């Protein structure tokens, strides 16, 4: 996979590590498909704080040009 997310499950704060140093748009969606987070990743690691969100399963989408990578994260 192009990126890793840990810890998973999480209390809301987690690290995102990329296997390359390209720039990606990161979008996180809740289980209803609503956008809850949006940012740009332009380094190999990033700390993301979603502690204010409710517990549940969220989908992380990284997009670069026409390629989209997805991963799920569980917030407890």
């Amino acid at each position: 996979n192009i990126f890793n997310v840990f810890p998973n499950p999480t209390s809301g704060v987690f690290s995102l590590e990329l296997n390359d140093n390209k720039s990606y748009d990161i979008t996180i969606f809740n289980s209803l498909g609503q956008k809850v987070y949006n940012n740009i990743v332009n380094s190999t690691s990033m700390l993301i704080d979603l502690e204010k969100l409710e517990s549940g399963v969220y989908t992380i989408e990284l997009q670069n040009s026409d390629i989209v990578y997805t991963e799920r994260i569980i917030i407890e």
Side-chain angles (χ1 to χ4, degrees):
N1 203 357
I2 193 76
F3 69 100
N4 296 312
V5 177
F6 61 91
N8 191 8
T10 177
S11 63
V13 178
F14 60 93
S15 293
L16 179 105
E17 287 195 351
L18 295 170
N19 294 336
D20 61 29
N21 200 15
K22 296 178 183 174
S23 181
Y24 292 91
D25 291 323
I26 178 172
T27 307
I28 301 177
F29 300 94
N30 64 15
S31 59
L32 300 175
Q34 298 166 323
K35 187 186 301 184
V36 296
Y37 181 87
N38 192 32
N39 207 339
I40 295 174
V41 182
N42 52 15
S43 64
T44 56
S45 65
M46 180 178 189
L47 189 64
I48 298 174
D49 183 354
L50 300 179
E51 280 188 313
K52 294 180 181 176
L53 297 180
E54 294 181 15
S55 299
V57 179
Y58 292 81
T59 303
I60 301 171
E61 248 184 34
L62 283 186
Q63 186 170 0
N64 181 353
S65 301
D66 295 330
I67 302 170
V68 177
Y69 303 98
T70 61
E71 183 71 45
R72 296 200 188 277
I73 189 159
I74 299 169
I75 297 179
E76 296 181 321

